[in-house]
Amino acid sequence: MKTPPRRMSKEEFEQLFQKVCNWGKWGPEDERGTLNYITPEHVRRAAGLVKSGRSVSLAIPINKTAGPDNPSPPAHYMVRNHDLAVPQGEPRFAVDYFASVFHGDCHTHMDALCHISYKGKLYNGKPAASVTSQGPTMLDVTAYAQGIVGRGVLLDIPKLRGVKWLEPGEAVTAEELEAAEKAQGVRLEQGDMLVFRTGHHRRRLELGPWDNNYEGEGKAGLHAGAMELLHERKVAVFLPDGDGETVPCNVEGMSFPVHALQVAAMGMCVADSLQFEELVQVVEEEKRQEFMVILAPLRLPRGTGSLFNPIAIF
Amino acid sequence: MKTPPRRMSKEEFEQLFQKVCNWGKWGPEDERGTLNYITPEHVRRAAGLVKSGRSVSLAIPINKTAGPDNPSPPAHYMVRNHDLAVPQGEPRFAVDYFASVFHGDCHTHMDALCHISYKGKLYNGKPAASVTSQGPTMLDVTAYAQGIVGRGVLLDIPKLRGVKWLEPGEAVTAEELEAAEKAQGVRLEQGDMLVFRTGHHRRRLELGPWDNNYEGEGKAGLHAGAMELLHERKVAVFLPDGDGETVPCNVEGMSFPVHALQVAAMGMCVADSLQFEELVQVVEEEKRQEFMVILAPLRLPRGTGSLFNPIAIF
Amino acid sequence: MKTPPRRMSKEEFEQLFQKVCNWGKWGPEDERGTLNYITPEHVRRAAGLVKSGRSVSLAIPINKTAGPDNPSPPAHYMVRNHDLAVPQGEPRFAVDYFASVFHGDCHTHMDALCHISYKGKLYNGKPAASVTSQGPTMLDVTAYAQGIVGRGVLLDIPKLRGVKWLEPGEAVTAEELEAAEKAQGVRLEQGDMLVFRTGHHRRRLELGPWDNNYEGEGKAGLHAGAMELLHERKVAVFLPDGDGETVPCNVEGMSFPVHALQVAAMGMCVADSLQFEELVQVVEEEKRQEFMVILAPLRLPRGTGSLFNPIAIF
Amino acid sequence: MKTPPRRMSKEEFEQLFQKVCNWGKWGPEDERGTLNYITPEHVRRAAGLVKSGRSVSLAIPINKTAGPDNPSPPAHYMVRNHDLAVPQGEPRFAVDYFASVFHGDCHTHMDALCHISYKGKLYNGKPAASVTSQGPTMLDVTAYAQGIVGRGVLLDIPKLRGVKWLEPGEAVTAEELEAAEKAQGVRLEQGDMLVFRTGHHRRRLELGPWDNNYEGEGKAGLHAGAMELLHERKVAVFLPDGDGETVPCNVEGMSFPVHALQVAAMGMCVADSLQFEELVQVVEEEKRQEFMVILAPLRLPRGTGSLFNPIAIF
């Protein structure tokens, strides 16, 4: 499996883009993309997976320390201790201030569909220029305002390979995803949320942060070709540690092919930089790779995404 | 019901504080307070309420416009359009910046237990001075990191009274909560989340914003005496529109008695400024007042709370 | 004088733009524009005006309250009181956080030359596209890093007219500037800083804030035609209360003609939203309209301008 | 000179604190401290130093890159390119957002007198508790609102020692200041601004940033004992590269003794983290160590200090 998968030419990429493209599929004004795959029945079945009642976060605790994967850390300040009296003196309040640019390589967040453009187009063929300095005029994160509920399916690639984590630059192909399904006793079906583990955060916990972007050491992720499988299976949501990209890139002359395919072509609901280190413990104890998942990004009009805390329930 | 309920003296308040106080109940280092009431069985049963698969947000869209209930609005700026090339030119990214002090009177948020002190003490008798300019050293919002899952029970007071909303200053007593239970066919039980509707947000939608704080026109909420009922019933979570407080206050010489009782005394998991206008539509269509609720505040170390998007699932 | 001056057609505006245009005058890479008019001799003479040693600020105290001219007020928070010990306990420090978007209608700030584009061009014919989401790549505020020193000349139009302030929409022509020179015993010469008073801030102090932008009630300012005089006189710096614009505009089918002419065409060093209420007192006591002025914007790489505190010395 | 100066005991420090203490000297409500030393005559004479008309900044360009001396860098984002039309389409505007906590070890800023407390007291014996979570109620940076103008006197210690810079931990005594005066042909007099060069920024430019705080490698500065000389000479303003402190500290069991003495005891107007690398070039060319200086901190009500751009004029 560790043999690096064949590189994809730019031409092959363009063909793949067309193949997985969902533009128009749910109407010209659709803003929900692959969430359309999730039916009420899927939600019901997901809720049916709740047995032990345990819930577990898939978010990295917010990291306020500058570092190679966090060059512009969030600002988090106390702006009020318990020192100030209210009208009648008591009780008193402690208050904080929090500010961030959350896109990037170490904060667990969702991407709105407006976040990615490819050749001047957003999902559904909408113009990139619809996103001005005043924010997106369509496809913002409020498309996800009512929450996203469904079945999460963990494919744990390091477990499949018998390693602690994938090394930067290693790509996971469709074949390997299918091997993981088989080995781990699950199958991706319509409306599912793919919980895709490369061990990125485990590596960070053990070795410390590194620059995982194109200028740096890179990261493990999906091979661009694997998007075909996700498309065929009608996967609704993609939840990776890392951000799904393999860096350096396995498409010639290109960067971020996975985002281009998932978000711009497929209209897929995706998140970046989750962590599954608490999840894998629970998965092992509960002896199952499937669980209910709830995603609840902030209702931020004109947001290009949102910090969030995805929750798995067993 | 519209007769203003009897005022409570400060002495009665202090007795009530002692009566509902949960300090030590779950150990001297407990940080979960009334969440201890939620058992795995409660989570399982809550999931069992998912039938139609509909989900609905209980959050107000984030309000970026200064106004009487939003004097220091969040800062939300686009910091990158689709104008900047990535290493290989495509795809491109739109990115925003968001900053806020979310406590206050119009943003849907959770309170961490460290947020409130009464007479120098936090929940469980911890010192208010544990919250310094560097943030809380205990009882921060990460106590809720793994998400909160349970049964939501809507008590819709305007519906009970046959009005569109309660007017500022109107207080809801334990008796009226029980009347609502009866009329609406539900009963608050151990581990429940009380979804408490006064119509605050409906009023705001129809009449526009007003200063609902102590310096202003006030708001409708619970009567302080109602906390005894919540305590007896072992309610785990309190989810109000408004913030639960009746303003002006019905405890003599005091402000924010509900926060003092709920957070400081009981260690209750509470949120402020939700909205139930989408919820009440669904409740009417689904013909039930109970549903699964998931709360997923950000994993923000040293946070005094968190903006969030609470989700109800039917 | 109160007769509204003749409106200028768009065609006349374009001719004026060409007439006052300084592109290329100081070389194709010039970033200092009209500051090139200030010679060492001008600085020396400005210093020679210091006689009584009084200094006075021309800045409005920073306004943190949202209002019609301040829709997105700065965020200013204490982030540390004197509660936190340092390594050896003492002394202790109080620290604050300050954040702002300072361009707009009520904060005293400088404009960098990159701040304004006209028909896709910045000063000196540079492309507007040189200002990307990562900031300007030329003509930023660091062009002013070494400070700007020269002679300030106050032309006090309300004083000339015998009124407390000009009303919104009133425009000051070249003829009126010359009348003010004559009446007030000064003459604008090469390298001068024109301190242009309409009484904007006096009106705000007495009547309260108003929306002085195009959607609102407007403001008093220069007539676009007056730029010809500033060009002939080789004025180096323009320091207005308000922002120099007359709103509604006296150029047909156009907004912000003064900024277009001053910044984009002339490369003039300009600031917005100063206040001269303390200055006029000193001017009266010192019995002169001229004084040394020092401008010291922050050395902010890629800044489109800077909050600052301009100082006049008598 | 390189022999480390004698350590001072805490007892000696307390005696020195009393000796240089200016509390009450200018009245119980004084907020200007040592600025009271600057008379109109001093300002006039300072202006008389303007001969060549050159001005030079003493500020470090604002550093937005996280590093050992900049753990929480400012946030600086473009929030508007030239993409958005104004009411009539043209001209267009580029706008940025800037946010910072400027106190610390690498941003050129002034300290307000409220910034430092010693044993619960601010300058003039005011209580440290007057600085709450809502900000200082006295002694804030607006005490400096009208600008500070005077004579700057450069004492260049590396030049005196014949080195490029002082190494971290090296302290400059009163004797060495006097030796620098003699060697450099100047004398500190009443109302002067001491421009104190250790070469801190030169070292940073050549060797890169380092953690110059107590947890790190430290920095060169004044010996606490030197404050007696500044007191005797009635120095009004202290402008150091670094922040004046020698780290590790030469007072036993103490940190930040220079700030305690200067700000809390003397009420001295001080700034931190200036740079003199452009200045020393001009000083050499102009062949003099004295010049006019203008300090113009922002008029920020309740500010504990201000980023600023100090300007020297020759």
Side-chain angles (χ1 to χ4, degrees):
Chain A
M1 286 288 174
K2 281 174 188 167
T3 322
R6 182 175 81 69
R7 285 177 70 74
M8 184 179 275
S9 71
K10 191 72 196 303
E11 195 174 35
E12 288 172 298
F13 173 85
E14 297 294 348
Q15 288 167 354
L16 181 55
F17 191 99
Q18 293 309 320
K19 199 164 187 178
V20 302
C21 187
N22 288 325
W23 297 5
K25 184 173 197 164
W26 296 288
E29 300 313 320
D30 176 62
E31 301 222 336
R32 292 179 54 77
T34 55
L35 292 187
N36 287 292
Y37 288 136
I38 305 181
T39 66
E41 179 57 23
H42 290 123
V43 176
R44 212 158 28 229
R45 270 190 266 158
L49 295 171
V50 175
K51 284 161 195 166
S52 69
R54 293 170 79 171
S55 65
V56 59
S57 168
L58 311 181
I60 301 173
I62 289 173
N63 177 357
K64 296 173 269 185
T65 305
D69 58 356
N70 197 16
S72 302
H76 185 213
Y77 295 110
M78 290 301 295
V79 298
R80 185 168 173 150
N81 302 336
H82 288 287
D83 63 334
L84 291 180
V86 294
Q88 299 286 350
E90 294 283 353
R92 297 185 176 195
F93 298 89
V95 175
D96 52 354
Y97 170 86
F98 182 75
S100 74
V101 169
F102 54 83
H103 288 294
D105 298 308
C106 79
H107 304 295
T108 304
H109 68 274
M110 297 200 71
D111 287 349
L113 291 178
C114 67
H115 174 54
I116 308 286
S117 66
Y118 186 67
K119 296 186 171 174
K121 299 286 186 193
L122 307 175
Y123 165 67
N124 232 359
K126 298 298 183 187
S130 65
V131 182
T132 71
S133 289
Q134 277 179 345
T137 53
M138 53 184 80
L139 296 168
D140 72 10
V141 76
T142 61
Y144 303 152
Q146 302 301 331
I148 301 158
V149 186
R151 180 176 82 138
V153 173
L154 171 66
L155 297 184
D156 186 340
I157 310 303
K159 188 179 175 190
L160 177 72
R161 294 194 187 182
V163 296
K164 289 173 86 169
W165 54 72
L166 274 59
E167 289 296 338
E170 293 189 340
V172 176
T173 60
E175 293 69 35
E176 193 168 11
L177 290 176
E178 291 178 311
E181 287 183 318
K182 199 162 297 184
Q184 294 167 14
V186 280
R187 192 171 195 279
L188 285 170
E189 288 169 11
Q190 179 183 332
D192 277 346
M193 305 192 189
L194 169 52
V195 179
F196 174 69
R197 182 170 184 268
T198 64
H200 184 105
H201 193 64
R202 167 59 39 203
R203 190 176 192 270
R204 193 186 193 285
L205 289 173
E206 297 201 10
L207 304 187
W210 72 96
D211 180 350
N212 62 65
N213 214 319
Y214 285 83
E215 303 74 31
E217 298 172 53
K219 62 192 136 194
L222 283 178
H223 189 274
M227 248 48 65
E228 205 170 339
L229 180 70
L230 304 194
H231 184 62
E232 288 167 7
R233 297 290 186 83
K234 300 184 176 167
V235 167
V237 178
F238 180 62
L239 301 174
D241 54 2
D243 66 354
E245 300 287 349
T246 307
V247 178
C249 187
N250 41 49
V251 179
E252 276 169 40
M254 190 166 180
S255 47
F256 299 103
V258 172
H259 279 75
L261 294 169
Q262 289 183 331
V263 182
M266 300 163 78
M268 184 173 275
C269 176
V270 303
D272 293 341
S273 300
L274 289 80
Q275 63 85 17
F276 308 127
E277 303 319 298
E278 288 149 303
L279 178 70
V280 291
Q281 296 252 22
V282 177
V283 158
E284 190 164 342
E285 291 163 19
E286 299 278 337
K287 296 190 195 344
R288 53 183 166 121
Q289 305 280 121
E290 58 171 1
F291 35 83
M292 187 184 195
V293 171
I294 291 93
L295 312 179
L298 295 178
R299 292 188 82 162
L300 180 60
R302 305 201 161 192
T304 70
S306 175
L307 287 175
F308 78 140
N309 185 0
I311 302 293
I313 316 178
F314 285 82
Chain B
M1 287 287 177
K2 279 174 189 166
T3 321
R6 181 177 83 70
R7 286 177 68 74
M8 183 180 275
S9 71
K10 191 71 196 306
E11 194 174 35
E12 288 171 298
F13 173 84
E14 297 294 349
Q15 287 166 355
L16 181 55
F17 191 98
Q18 292 310 319
K19 197 164 189 178
V20 301
C21 186
N22 288 325
W23 298 4
K25 184 173 198 165
W26 296 288
E29 300 313 319
D30 176 63
E31 300 222 336
R32 293 178 55 74
T34 54
L35 293 187
N36 287 292
Y37 288 136
I38 305 181
T39 66
E41 179 58 23
H42 290 122
V43 176
R44 219 167 12 240
R45 270 191 265 160
L49 296 171
V50 175
K51 284 161 194 166
S52 68
R54 294 170 78 172
S55 64
V56 59
S57 168
L58 310 182
I60 301 172
I62 289 172
N63 177 357
K64 297 173 270 186
T65 304
D69 58 356
N70 197 17
S72 302
H76 185 214
Y77 296 111
M78 289 301 294
V79 298
R80 185 169 173 150
N81 302 336
H82 288 288
D83 63 335
L84 289 181
V86 294
Q88 300 286 350
E90 294 283 354
R92 297 185 176 196
F93 298 89
V95 174
D96 53 353
Y97 170 87
F98 182 75
S100 74
V101 168
F102 54 83
H103 288 294
D105 298 309
C106 79
H107 304 295
T108 304
H109 68 273
M110 296 200 70
D111 288 349
L113 291 178
C114 66
H115 174 54
I116 308 286
S117 66
Y118 186 67
K119 296 188 172 172
K121 298 288 185 190
L122 309 175
Y123 165 66
N124 232 359
K126 298 299 183 186
S130 65
V131 182
T132 72
S133 288
Q134 278 180 344
T137 53
M138 55 184 79
L139 297 169
D140 72 11
V141 76
T142 62
Y144 303 152
Q146 301 301 331
I148 300 159
V149 186
R151 180 175 84 136
V153 172
L154 171 65
L155 297 184
D156 185 340
I157 309 304
K159 189 179 174 190
L160 177 72
R161 294 194 187 182
V163 296
K164 288 173 88 169
W165 54 72
L166 274 60
E167 290 295 340
E170 293 187 341
V172 176
T173 60
E175 293 68 36
E176 192 168 14
L177 290 177
E178 290 177 312
E181 287 183 318
K182 200 163 293 183
Q184 294 168 13
V186 280
R187 189 168 200 280
L188 285 170
E189 287 168 11
Q190 178 181 333
D192 278 346
M193 304 191 190
L194 169 52
V195 178
F196 173 70
R197 182 170 184 268
T198 63
H200 183 107
H201 193 64
R202 166 61 34 204
R203 190 175 192 272
R204 194 186 192 283
L205 289 172
E206 299 201 10
L207 304 187
W210 73 95
D211 180 349
N212 61 66
N213 213 320
Y214 286 84
E215 303 75 30
E217 298 171 54
K219 62 192 137 195
L222 284 178
H223 188 275
M227 248 48 65
E228 202 169 342
L229 180 70
L230 305 193
H231 183 63
E232 288 166 7
R233 298 287 187 85
K234 300 183 177 167
V235 167
V237 177
F238 180 63
L239 302 173
D241 53 1
D243 66 353
E245 299 288 348
T246 306
V247 177
C249 188
N250 42 49
V251 179
E252 276 168 40
M254 190 165 180
S255 47
F256 301 102
V258 172
H259 279 76
L261 293 170
Q262 288 183 332
V263 181
M266 300 164 79
M268 184 174 275
C269 176
V270 303
D272 292 343
S273 299
L274 288 78
Q275 63 85 16
F276 308 127
E277 303 319 298
E278 289 148 304
L279 178 71
V280 290
Q281 297 252 20
V282 178
V283 157
E284 190 163 343
E285 290 163 21
E286 300 279 337
K287 297 189 194 342
R288 52 184 166 120
Q289 306 280 120
E290 58 171 0
F291 34 84
M292 187 185 194
V293 171
I294 292 93
L295 312 179
L298 295 178
R299 291 187 82 163
L300 179 60
R302 304 200 161 193
T304 68
S306 175
L307 287 175
F308 78 140
N309 185 359
I311 302 293
I313 316 176
F314 285 83
Chain C
M1 287 286 176
K2 280 175 186 164
T3 322
R6 181 177 80 72
R7 284 177 68 74
M8 183 179 275
S9 72
K10 191 71 196 303
E11 196 175 34
E12 288 171 298
F13 173 83
E14 297 295 347
Q15 287 167 354
L16 181 56
F17 191 98
Q18 292 310 320
K19 198 165 190 177
V20 302
C21 188
N22 289 324
W23 297 5
K25 184 173 200 165
W26 296 287
E29 300 313 320
D30 176 64
E31 301 222 337
R32 292 178 54 76
T34 55
L35 292 188
N36 286 291
Y37 288 136
I38 305 181
T39 66
E41 179 57 23
H42 290 121
V43 177
R44 217 163 17 236
R45 269 191 266 158
L49 296 170
V50 175
K51 283 162 196 167
S52 69
R54 293 170 79 171
S55 64
V56 58
S57 168
L58 311 181
I60 301 172
I62 289 174
N63 176 356
K64 296 173 270 185
T65 305
D69 58 357
N70 196 17
S72 302
H76 185 213
Y77 295 111
M78 289 302 294
V79 298
R80 185 166 171 152
N81 303 335
H82 287 287
D83 62 335
L84 289 181
V86 294
Q88 299 287 350
E90 295 284 353
R92 297 186 175 194
F93 298 89
V95 174
D96 53 355
Y97 170 87
F98 183 75
S100 74
V101 168
F102 55 83
H103 288 295
D105 298 309
C106 79
H107 304 295
T108 304
H109 67 274
M110 297 201 70
D111 287 350
L113 291 178
C114 66
H115 174 54
I116 308 286
S117 66
Y118 186 67
K119 295 186 172 173
K121 299 287 185 191
L122 308 175
Y123 165 67
N124 232 359
K126 298 300 183 186
S130 65
V131 182
T132 72
S133 289
Q134 278 179 345
T137 54
M138 55 185 79
L139 297 170
D140 72 9
V141 76
T142 62
Y144 302 152
Q146 302 302 331
I148 300 159
V149 186
R151 180 175 83 136
V153 172
L154 171 65
L155 296 184
D156 186 339
I157 309 304
K159 188 180 175 190
L160 176 72
R161 294 194 186 181
V163 297
K164 287 173 87 170
W165 53 72
L166 274 60
E167 289 295 339
E170 294 188 340
V172 176
T173 60
E175 292 69 36
E176 192 168 13
L177 290 177
E178 290 178 311
E181 286 183 319
K182 199 161 295 183
Q184 294 169 15
V186 280
R187 190 169 197 278
L188 285 170
E189 288 168 11
Q190 179 182 332
D192 277 347
M193 304 190 189
L194 169 52
V195 178
F196 174 70
R197 182 168 184 269
T198 64
H200 184 106
H201 193 64
R202 165 61 36 203
R203 189 176 193 271
R204 194 186 193 284
L205 288 173
E206 297 201 10
L207 303 187
W210 73 95
D211 180 350
N212 60 67
N213 212 320
Y214 285 85
E215 303 75 30
E217 298 171 53
K219 62 192 136 197
L222 283 179
H223 189 274
M227 249 47 65
E228 204 169 340
L229 180 70
L230 305 193
H231 184 62
E232 288 167 6
R233 298 288 186 85
K234 300 184 176 167
V235 167
V237 177
F238 180 63
L239 301 174
D241 54 1
D243 66 353
E245 301 287 349
T246 306
V247 177
C249 188
N250 41 48
V251 179
E252 276 169 39
M254 190 165 178
S255 46
F256 300 103
V258 173
H259 279 75
L261 294 169
Q262 289 183 330
V263 181
M266 301 164 78
M268 184 174 275
C269 176
V270 303
D272 292 342
S273 300
L274 288 78
Q275 64 84 15
F276 308 127
E277 303 320 298
E278 288 148 305
L279 178 71
V280 291
Q281 297 252 21
V282 178
V283 157
E284 190 163 343
E285 290 164 19
E286 300 278 337
K287 297 190 195 340
R288 53 183 166 121
Q289 305 281 120
E290 59 172 359
F291 35 83
M292 188 185 194
V293 171
I294 290 94
L295 312 179
L298 294 178
R299 292 187 82 163
L300 179 61
R302 304 200 160 193
T304 69
S306 174
L307 287 176
F308 78 140
N309 186 359
I311 301 292
I313 316 178
F314 285 81
Chain D
M1 289 284 177
K2 279 171 188 165
T3 321
R6 184 174 80 70
R7 285 176 69 75
M8 184 180 274
S9 71
K10 191 72 197 305
E11 195 174 34
E12 287 171 299
F13 173 84
E14 297 294 349
Q15 287 167 353
L16 181 55
F17 191 98
Q18 292 311 319
K19 197 164 189 178
V20 302
C21 187
N22 288 325
W23 297 5
K25 184 173 197 164
W26 296 288
E29 298 314 319
D30 176 63
E31 299 222 339
R32 293 178 54 76
T34 55
L35 292 186
N36 287 293
Y37 288 137
I38 305 182
T39 65
E41 179 57 23
H42 290 123
V43 177
R44 217 163 18 235
R45 269 191 266 159
L49 296 171
V50 175
K51 283 160 197 168
S52 69
R54 294 170 77 173
S55 65
V56 59
S57 167
L58 310 182
I60 301 173
I62 289 172
N63 178 356
K64 296 174 270 185
T65 305
D69 58 355
N70 197 17
S72 301
H76 185 213
Y77 295 111
M78 289 302 295
V79 297
R80 185 167 173 152
N81 302 335
H82 287 287
D83 63 334
L84 290 180
V86 294
Q88 299 287 350
E90 295 282 354
R92 297 186 176 195
F93 298 88
V95 174
D96 52 354
Y97 169 87
F98 182 74
S100 74
V101 169
F102 55 82
H103 288 294
D105 298 309
C106 79
H107 304 295
T108 304
H109 66 274
M110 296 201 71
D111 287 349
L113 291 178
C114 67
H115 174 53
I116 308 287
S117 67
Y118 186 67
K119 295 187 172 173
K121 298 287 185 190
L122 309 175
Y123 165 67
N124 232 0
K126 298 299 184 186
S130 66
V131 182
T132 72
S133 289
Q134 278 180 345
T137 53
M138 54 184 80
L139 296 169
D140 72 10
V141 76
T142 61
Y144 303 152
Q146 302 300 332
I148 300 158
V149 187
R151 180 176 82 138
V153 172
L154 172 65
L155 296 185
D156 186 339
I157 309 304
K159 189 179 175 192
L160 176 73
R161 294 194 188 183
V163 297
K164 288 173 87 170
W165 55 70
L166 273 60
E167 289 296 339
E170 293 188 340
V172 176
T173 59
E175 292 69 36
E176 193 169 12
L177 290 177
E178 291 177 311
E181 287 183 318
K182 199 162 295 183
Q184 295 168 13
V186 280
R187 190 168 197 280
L188 286 170
E189 288 168 11
Q190 179 182 333
D192 278 346
M193 304 191 190
L194 169 53
V195 179
F196 174 69
R197 183 170 183 266
T198 63
H200 184 105
H201 193 64
R202 166 60 37 202
R203 189 175 192 271
R204 195 185 191 284
L205 288 173
E206 298 201 10
L207 304 186
W210 73 95
D211 180 349
N212 62 66
N213 213 319
Y214 286 84
E215 303 75 29
E217 298 172 53
K219 62 192 137 195
L222 284 178
H223 189 275
M227 247 49 63
E228 203 169 340
L229 180 70
L230 305 193
H231 183 62
E232 288 167 6
R233 297 288 187 84
K234 300 183 177 168
V235 167
V237 177
F238 179 63
L239 301 174
D241 54 1
D243 66 352
E245 299 288 348
T246 306
V247 177
C249 188
N250 42 47
V251 179
E252 275 168 41
M254 190 166 180
S255 46
F256 300 102
V258 172
H259 279 75
L261 294 170
Q262 289 183 331
V263 181
M266 301 164 77
M268 183 173 276
C269 175
V270 302
D272 292 342
S273 299
L274 289 79
Q275 63 85 17
F276 308 126
E277 302 319 298
E278 290 149 303
L279 178 70
V280 290
Q281 296 251 22
V282 178
V283 157
E284 191 164 343
E285 290 164 20
E286 300 278 338
K287 296 192 196 342
R288 53 183 166 121
Q289 306 281 121
E290 57 170 1
F291 35 83
M292 187 184 195
V293 171
I294 291 93
L295 313 179
L298 295 177
R299 292 187 82 162
L300 179 61
R302 303 202 162 191
T304 69
S306 175
L307 287 175
F308 78 138
N309 185 359
I311 301 293
I313 317 177
F314 285 82

